[in-house]
Amino acid sequence: RPVDQYKNATRPFGIRSKFLGSLFGLRYSFQHAVRPGRFVNDVGFRVLGLPAAVVAGGNFTRIGEEEVAAIKNETGTELRLDTAVRIDFEKPVMWLGNKRLLPLIVSLGSRAQSPPVTLCTTYMDDKIRLALAAKGGRLVFTRGGKATRAFASDWQTIEGERPLSGGVVGTVITAAAAA
């Protein structure tokens, strides 16, 4: 694969225009280990130039030898028993707009992952963690970079807020369009 294949990776749907890319673009993707047994996934992007993010917290538990063996039989993926975990994610929440002024916070409904995500850590040091997912996907998590910037903790601002349901947002949009 050519190296420049990923040069527009922050522009979804193959958008090549710099203008359109600035309106609809990936800003960041983080997985925060907030305390033992807890992760928060936070993916930031732009929608029509407005900042937005989808946030989903999850708790993880170690899985046993039987479950690791069942995964190998089902998918062919051999997870490391000593680091294999299952992450059960909560309902995802999306915020849109300036998080400090008055962001629109919306519940995205059902669980973030169904079934839960199962993976193992294959390597870890103070700067990088490599993981293998139950279905064979390979993941790379790093420390530093954008994770050290102030916006990396934006998810904490909305964590305790009560989101609107998708039905409420749809009703408001429909009423506004009809007016």
Side-chain angles (χ1 to χ4, degrees):
R1 296 179 179 169
V3 174
D4 66 347
Q5 169 182 348
Y6 300 103
K7 70 181 178 186
N8 292 322
T10 60
R11 296 184 187 152
F13 315 112
I15 295 173
R16 296 194 186 274
S17 159
K18 286 185 179 184
F19 173 71
L20 289 176
S22 70
L23 294 177
F24 303 97
L26 180 68
R27 295 172 50 225
Y28 57 81
S29 179
F30 300 128
Q31 183 177 74
H32 302 283
V34 283
R35 63 179 184 270
R38 177 98 174 134
F39 285 119
V40 173
N41 286 352
D42 179 9
V43 178
F45 50 95
R46 291 200 176 281
V47 175
L48 298 175
L50 293 172
V54 173
V55 178
N59 297 310
F60 70 87
T61 53
R62 293 208 179 268
I63 61 171
E65 193 171 344
E66 283 184 24
E67 194 167 349
V68 168
I71 289 168
K72 182 177 180 185
N73 288 338
E74 183 180 324
T75 67
T77 303
E78 196 167 334
L79 298 179
R80 289 179 47 172
L81 180 60
D82 61 330
T83 64
V85 297
R86 183 186 68 239
I87 305 172
D88 295 295
F89 284 99
E90 298 157 356
K91 293 178 181 180
V93 174
M94 182 179 85
W95 63 265
L96 176 66
N98 186 316
K99 72 168 183 74
R100 290 173 185 86
L101 296 178
L102 186 59
L104 176 64
I105 302 171
V106 181
S107 172
L108 296 180
S110 65
R111 295 202 171 270
Q113 295 286 336
S114 185
V117 174
T118 305
L119 54 80
C120 73
T121 297
T122 57
Y123 175 82
M124 185 169 72
D125 64 24
D126 63 334
K127 294 190 182 205
I128 192 168
R129 177 169 58 104
L130 303 178
L132 176 63
K135 293 184 180 177
R138 289 169 169 75
L139 307 163
V140 178
F141 301 97
T142 62
R143 292 187 180 159
K146 288 185 177 182
T148 62
R149 300 191 41 203
F151 64 80
S153 60
D154 282 357
W155 64 273
Q156 293 172 337
T157 303
I158 65 162
E159 186 178 38
E161 299 293 325
R162 185 172 173 178
L164 298 171
S165 72
V168 169
V169 173
T171 301
V172 169
I173 291 171
T174 303

